[in-house]
C-alpha cells in the first residue's frame, strides 16, 4: 500500500474502534451492523482503487456475499467475498488479485482481527455451484469493480438455478442444525445463528420465499433484537461467538442495563417470533407454484410433469417432490423424448417412496418397463408372498430402512455411493418375467442393455451385472455350506473378489431375503449373513 492509502485505511480502523465503543454505550442491532459494513466497504474500495488503477488491466468484480452481502456485519463477523475476473488467463490480473488478497489480510486480519473468506469464481462455474455456495451468492452485492461482470454472474446463477433442489437442500440444512444445536427457541443457552429461533431461521425463510417466487420480507423487530444481542456477545467475547452461555448472558444483560432473567425472557420471545417466519415459509412451499426440476412443477402442493420431458431429469424432480412431501399427480405423462441415464439412476437410488411416486405418475414404465411388466407376475415357488414387482419394491424398502447400527449399517456407510446397489436391487428379479430357471442371468442381460442405453460407465455396468448374476450366491452359501470351515470362507472370498462387492452383495442378499415374506429372514439366517 502507498503511504496515502495506508493513512486512509488506518483512519478507517480508528473509525471502527470508535464504532465499537459506541456499541458499548449505546447497544444497537442492524443499524450498527450497517455502519460497520460501510466501513468495510470503504476499505475494499480504497484497496481496489490503488491496486487496479492501471486502465489496461482486465476488469474484475469484488462482491460481498453472505452476511456481508446483507450488510449484517456484527463486530467480528467474517468478511466473505467473491472475486470474479474478466480474463482468468491474464498474469497481470492474477498478480493484482494476489496483491489485493495480501492487502486484505493485512487490514482485516492483522489490524482489525477479522477473518477474511474469499472465493475466486468464474462465471462459467455457475451451473456447478452447490446449494451452500449458491446461498451466499443469493445475498451478493457489488462493492468495487465491474458492474457488467457482476450482472453476468447474477444472470448465470439465475439461469442455472434449480428451485426444487435448492429448497430441499435448505430444509435439510435447517434440520441438521436443529439436531446439532436445538430445535426449539425455548432453550436456556441458545445458539444465536443456527439454532431454532436464530438468525438463520429468518435467512432461510427468505431464501425459501425467493426460490418459490414469493416476495421476501424485511427483518422484523424481533430479528433486530437477536442481532443486537449477537453484537454484544461478539463484543464481550472479543471474537465471533454465537453460543449464548449463562455466563455470557450475564455480561450482555449488564451492558443492556437489565437482569439476566429480564433480558433472556425478551430474547426467547423474539426467537419464537423469528422461528415462526421459517415455519410459515416452509408451510407455504405446499401453496406456491415453482419448478422442481426441468419438466416438473409444484402447484398447490402437487408435483406435475409437463411438456416435452427427459425421463431422467424428471426423475430428479419427482425425487425432490417426494423428499418435500408433495403429492405426485397421476395425470398421464407424455412419452419422454430422452433419458439422462446418470440422472435416472440417481433418482431411482433415492428410495422406495420416490420409486412408487415414479410409478404413480407413469414415469417408471418408461424408465424401467421390465420392472413394471412384473407387476402381476407371481414367482413359481411357494415361499414368496408378493408379486415380483412388489417384492422388488419391498427389497428397496429394506435398503432404505437398514438399522443405524450393526454390520449392515457398517457395510452401507462404507460404500462411496449406493446407486449401483439400488439399480441391481430394482432389476435383480426382472428375469422372472421369462421364467424361474436362470432368471438371474436373464436379468443381468436386461440390466446390461439398460446401462448401455443410459450411457452409464463401463465399471458401473459391470458391477450391476455381476450383482444381479450372483444375487443368489450368498444366500446359497449361508443356507448350505459350513461357515466354520476356513475353506468355505476362502472359496467365497475368491468368488467375490473385493470388499466393495462383498458389502454390496451382503446388502442385496439381506434386502432380497427379507422381502420374500415376513418370516423368511430368521435370526439364524441373519447371524450366518453377519
Amino acid at each position: 500500500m502507498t503511504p496515502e492509502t495506508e493513512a486512509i485505511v488506518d483512519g478507517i480502523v480508528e473509525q471502527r474502534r470508535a464504532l465499537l465503543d459506541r456499541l458499548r454505550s449505546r447497544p444497537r442491532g442492524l443499524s450498527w451492523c450497517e455502519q460497520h459494513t460501510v466501513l468495510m466497504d470503504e476499505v475494499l474500495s480504497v484497496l481496489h482503487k490503488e491496486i487496479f488503477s492501471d486502465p489496461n488491466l482486465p476488469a474484475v468484480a469484488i462482491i460481498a456475499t453472505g452476511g456481508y452481502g446483507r450488510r449484517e456485519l456484527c463486530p467480528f463477523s467474517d468478511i466473505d467475498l467473491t472475486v470474479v475476473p474478466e480474463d482468468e488467463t491474464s498474469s497481470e490480473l492474477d498478480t493484482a488479485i494476489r496483491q489485493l488478497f495480501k492487502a486484505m489480510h493485512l487490514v482485516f486480519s492483522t489490524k482489525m482481527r477479522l477473518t477474511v473468506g474469499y472465493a475466486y469464481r468464474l462465471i462459467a462455474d455457475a451451473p456447478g455451484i452447490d446449494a451452500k455456495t449458491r446461498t451466499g451468492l443469493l445475498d451478493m452485492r457489488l462493492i468495487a469493480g465491474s458492474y457488467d461482470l457482476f450482472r453476468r454472474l447474477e444472470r448465470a446463477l439465475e439461469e442455472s438455478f434449480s428451485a426444487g433442489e435448492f429448497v430441499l437442500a435448505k430444509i435439510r440444512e435447517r434440520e441438521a442444525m436443529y439436531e446439532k444445536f436445538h430445535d426449539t427457541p425455548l432453550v436456556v443457552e441458545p445458539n444465536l445463528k443456527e439454532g431454532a429461533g436464530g438468525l438463520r431461521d429468518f435467512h432461510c425463510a427468505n431464501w425459501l420465499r425467493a426460490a418459490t417466487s414469493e416476495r421476501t420480507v424485511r427483518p422484523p423487530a424481533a430479528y433486530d433484537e437477536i442481532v443486537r444481542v449477537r453484537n454484544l456477545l461478539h463484543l464481550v467475547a472479543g471474537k465471533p461467538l454465537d453460543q449464548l452461555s449463562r455466563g455470557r448472558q450475564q455480561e450482555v444483560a449488564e451492558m443492556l442495563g437489565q437482569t439476566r432473567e429480564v433480558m433472556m425472557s425478551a430474547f426467547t420471545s423474539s426467537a419464537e417470533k423469528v422461528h415462526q417466519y421459517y415455519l410459515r415459509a416452509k408451510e407455504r412451499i405446499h401453496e406456491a407454484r415453482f419448478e422442481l426440476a426441468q419438466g416438473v412443477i409444484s402447484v398447490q402442493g402437487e408435483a406435475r410433469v409437463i411438456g416435452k420431458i427427459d425421463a431422467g431429469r424428471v426423475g430428479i424432480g419427482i425425487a425432490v417432490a417426494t423428499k418435500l412431501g408433495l403429492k405426485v399427480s397421476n395425470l398421464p405423462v407424455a412419452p419422454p423424448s430422452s433419458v439422462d441415464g446418470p440422472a435416472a439412476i440417481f433418482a431411482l437410488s433415492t428410495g422406495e417412496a420416490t420409486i412408487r411416486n415414479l410409478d404413480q405418475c407413469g414415469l417408471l414404465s418408461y424408465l424401467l418397463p421390465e420392472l413394471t411388466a412384473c407387476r402381476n407376475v407371481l414367482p413359481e415357488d411357494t415361499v414368496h408372498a408378493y408379486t415380483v414387482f412388489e417384492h422388488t419394491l419391498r427389497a428397496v424398502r429394506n435398503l432404505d430402512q437398514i438399522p443405524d447400527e450393526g454390520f449392515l449399517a457398517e457395510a452401507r456407510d462404507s460404500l462411496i455411493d449406493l446407486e449401483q446397489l439400488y439399480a441391481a436391487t430394482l432389476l435383480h428379479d426382472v428375469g422372472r418375467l421369462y421364467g424361474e430357471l436362470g432368471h438371474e442371468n436373464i436379468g443381468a442381460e436386461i440390466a446390461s442393455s439398460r446401462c448401455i442405453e443410459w450411457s452409464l460407465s463401463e465399471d458401473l455396468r459391470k458391477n450391476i451385472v455381476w450383482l444381479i448374476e450372483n444375487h443368489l450366491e450368498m444366500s446359497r452359501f449361508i443356507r448350505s455350506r459350513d461357515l466354520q470351515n476356513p475353506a468355505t470362507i476362502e472359496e467365497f472370498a475368491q468368488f467375490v473378489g473385493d470388499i466393495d462387492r462383498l458389502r454390496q452383495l451382503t446388502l442385496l442378499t439381506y434386502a432380497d431375503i427379507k422381502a420374500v415374506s415376513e418370516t423368511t429372514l430368521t435370526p439364524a439366517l441373519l447371524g450366518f449373513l453377519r
Side-chain angles (χ1 to χ4, degrees):
M1 286 187 289
T2 64
E4 292 80 5
T5 299
E6 190 161 7
I8 295 172
V9 167
D10 286 343
I12 296 172
V13 172
E14 286 303 316
Q15 289 180 60
R16 179 173 179 269
R17 289 198 186 104
L19 191 63
L20 290 170
D21 289 339
R22 284 203 296 276
L23 181 61
R24 293 179 187 278
S25 59
R26 195 179 175 196
R28 291 290 182 270
L30 288 171
S31 61
W32 187 93
C33 293
E34 289 172 5
Q35 291 178 287
H36 191 210
T37 302
V38 167
L39 292 180
M40 303 305 104
D41 288 356
E42 288 178 7
V43 169
L44 287 164
S45 296
V46 168
L47 294 179
H48 174 268
K49 184 177 180 181
E50 176 183 304
I51 296 170
F52 296 89
S53 59
D54 184 349
N56 295 316
L57 274 178
V60 67
I62 301 172
I63 299 168
T65 61
Y68 185 24
R70 291 189 298 273
R71 296 182 173 87
E72 292 183 6
L73 286 181
C74 293
F76 290 97
S77 292
D78 292 352
I79 309 295
D80 290 326
L81 296 165
T82 289
V83 176
V84 182
E86 181 181 46
D87 180 5
E88 62 172 313
T89 65
S90 169
S91 59
E92 293 82 3
L93 182 60
D94 183 65
T95 299
I97 290 173
R98 290 177 187 276
Q99 289 176 346
L100 174 66
F101 290 161
K102 185 177 179 180
M104 285 194 306
H105 277 291
L106 174 63
V107 177
F108 293 126
S109 301
T110 304
K111 294 179 180 288
M112 298 184 181
R113 295 192 299 120
L114 299 175
T115 299
V116 182
Y118 51 80
Y120 184 81
R121 189 81 57 198
L122 303 178
I123 292 171
D125 293 340
I129 292 176
D130 61 71
K132 185 174 182 179
T133 304
R134 190 177 288 272
T135 303
L137 293 168
L138 279 180
D139 297 314
M140 69 181 187
R141 60 187 178 83
L142 181 67
I143 299 174
S146 170
Y147 179 73
D148 177 63
L149 282 175
F150 174 78
R151 283 292 296 130
R152 283 166 57 193
L153 177 61
E154 202 170 44
R155 286 194 295 269
L157 289 168
E158 289 170 359
E159 291 167 1
S160 60
F161 184 68
S162 175
E165 292 182 57
F166 179 82
V167 166
L168 180 58
K170 291 301 101 183
I171 291 174
R172 284 179 165 175
E173 282 177 18
R174 283 282 73 218
E175 291 172 350
M177 290 300 101
Y178 290 165
E179 186 174 346
K180 182 177 180 179
F181 296 105
H182 48 86
D183 61 1
T184 171
L186 303 179
V187 291
V188 176
E189 295 186 321
N191 185 284
L192 305 186
K193 183 178 180 182
E194 296 290 0
L199 302 176
R200 193 64 86 209
D201 268 0
F202 184 76
H203 301 158
C204 194
N206 267 343
W207 294 332
L208 294 180
R209 285 174 172 273
T212 55
S213 302
E214 293 206 18
R215 292 178 61 182
T216 58
V217 295
R218 293 177 61 81
Y223 181 86
D224 188 70
E225 175 59 22
I226 295 173
V227 173
R228 183 171 75 142
V229 171
R230 190 182 190 223
N231 282 343
L232 296 181
L233 179 59
H234 277 210
L235 200 59
V236 298
K239 61 182 179 181
L241 187 66
D242 289 310
Q243 194 68 31
L244 188 57
S245 66
R246 285 180 173 85
R248 294 299 187 187
Q249 288 169 21
Q250 185 63 43
E251 293 179 81
V252 171
E254 288 174 2
M255 294 185 75
L256 290 170
Q258 300 173 351
T259 65
R260 186 182 76 86
E261 292 73 20
V262 168
M263 188 269 286
M264 287 305 298
S265 177
F267 177 87
T268 54
S269 177
S270 294
E272 281 189 288
K273 293 171 184 174
V274 167
H275 188 49
Q276 284 301 315
Y277 277 87
Y278 170 69
L279 295 180
R280 285 198 293 271
K282 186 179 174 184
E283 288 171 3
R284 287 188 65 80
I285 290 170
H286 292 262
E287 302 170 16
R289 180 188 179 97
F290 63 101
E291 186 180 65
L292 291 164
Q294 184 180 339
V296 188
I297 61 170
S298 175
V299 182
Q300 294 291 309
E302 180 180 77
R304 298 179 186 173
V305 180
I306 57 170
K308 189 176 181 180
I309 63 171
D310 176 285
R313 296 192 192 110
V314 168
I316 296 290
I318 298 301
V320 170
T322 303
K323 298 296 183 184
L324 289 174
L326 302 175
K327 178 184 176 183
V328 175
S329 171
N330 60 0
L331 296 173
V333 175
S337 58
S338 59
V339 179
D340 181 330
I345 197 170
F346 173 80
L348 291 166
S349 72
T350 59
E352 180 196 11
T354 295
I355 295 164
R356 289 197 184 274
N357 276 335
L358 288 169
D359 188 43
Q360 161 83 0
C361 71
L363 193 63
L364 190 62
S365 62
Y366 292 115
L367 288 170
L368 296 177
E370 308 87 352
L371 177 59
T372 54
C374 294
R375 185 182 305 277
N376 305 115
V377 173
L378 304 177
E380 292 179 9
D381 62 60
T382 59
V383 182
H384 279 76
Y386 310 103
T387 68
V388 172
F389 179 84
E390 184 62 25
H391 162 78
T392 300
L393 266 63
R394 286 174 181 255
V396 170
R397 178 190 303 173
N398 294 334
L399 292 180
D400 295 344
Q401 298 178 354
I402 287 172
D404 291 334
E405 297 181 355
F407 77 101
L408 295 168
E410 290 176 11
R412 177 198 59 200
D413 296 342
S414 298
L415 294 172
I416 295 174
D417 68 67
L418 300 175
E419 292 180 4
Q420 51 196 303
L421 174 61
Y422 272 84
T425 303
L426 285 166
L427 294 171
H428 79 282
D429 265 1
V430 294
R432 291 181 187 268
L433 188 62
Y434 304 98
E436 293 287 323
L437 189 62
H439 76 271
E440 61 270 37
N441 295 320
I442 298 171
E445 290 178 11
I446 292 171
S448 181
S449 298
R450 182 64 57 205
C451 289
I452 292 170
E453 182 182 333
W454 285 1
S455 301
L456 302 181
S457 72
E458 183 63 11
D459 286 345
L460 194 67
R461 184 192 70 80
K462 286 181 178 178
N463 207 46
I464 291 171
V465 167
W466 186 89
L467 286 169
I468 295 172
E469 281 178 337
N470 298 290
H471 74 270
L472 299 175
E473 289 304 311
M474 200 167 192
S475 177
R476 288 170 181 156
F477 264 79
I478 64 176
R479 290 175 190 274
S480 61
R481 300 291 294 274
D482 178 9
L483 301 184
Q484 301 303 314
N485 187 340
T488 301
I489 304 305
E490 178 66 26
E491 180 185 344
F492 190 74
Q494 291 180 0
F495 157 68
V496 173
D498 69 62
I499 191 69
D500 276 349
R501 278 189 171 175
L502 174 62
R503 290 164 176 152
Q504 291 174 356
L505 187 58
T506 300
L507 294 168
L508 176 53
T509 302
Y510 162 80
D512 188 20
I513 295 175
K514 195 172 190 297
V516 169
S517 73
E518 298 297 328
T519 59
T520 313
L521 185 65
T522 64
L525 268 182
L526 187 61
F528 292 149
L529 185 64
R530 181 186 58 78

